[in-house]
Amino acid sequence: MFLEIVTPEKKVFEGEVNVATFPGSDGSFQILNDHAPLISALQSGNIVYKSNAGEQAIGIKGGIVEVLNNRIIVLAEGLAEAS
């Protein structure tokens, strides 16, 4: 599936991933291939994604995520330190 992470300043990441974990406003949740369509608010925390290159984490200050047809788009309010 394709993940794109965008802030008001720049595109932070785009590429194919196998799994992605998000800091949802009601707790963290994970997206796998062929996930049902979803729109959710995000709180401050880490987006963790795994690809063939390994696992990466990007810290965000909150935002919105949309999942549709194996495409994940994150509109992040800004970047934060990944922990």
Side-chain angles (χ1 to χ4, degrees), residues 5-41:
I5 302 173
V6 180
T7 68
E9 293 82 31
K10 64 180 180 175
K11 187 177 294 188
V12 178
F13 174 82
E14 68 176 348
E16 291 292 323
V17 299
N18 302 320
V19 61
T21 304
F22 298 94
S25 55
D26 291 330
S28 67
F29 62 94
Q30 196 169 62
I31 304 293
L32 299 168
N33 204 30
D34 295 325
H35 196 282
L38 167 81
I39 295 178
S40 179

Side-chain angles (χ1 to χ4, degrees), residues 23-68:
S25 55
D26 291 330
S28 67
F29 62 94
Q30 196 169 62
I31 304 293
L32 299 168
N33 204 30
D34 295 325
H35 196 282
L38 167 81
I39 295 178
S40 179
L42 301 175
Q43 65 181 7
S44 294
N46 291 336
I47 297 173
V48 180
Y49 57 90
K50 294 180 186 175
S51 67
N52 293 337
E55 184 174 292
Q56 301 278 339
I58 296 176
I60 62 167
K61 295 179 181 176
I64 300 287
V65 61
E66 177 188 39
V67 179
L68 183 63

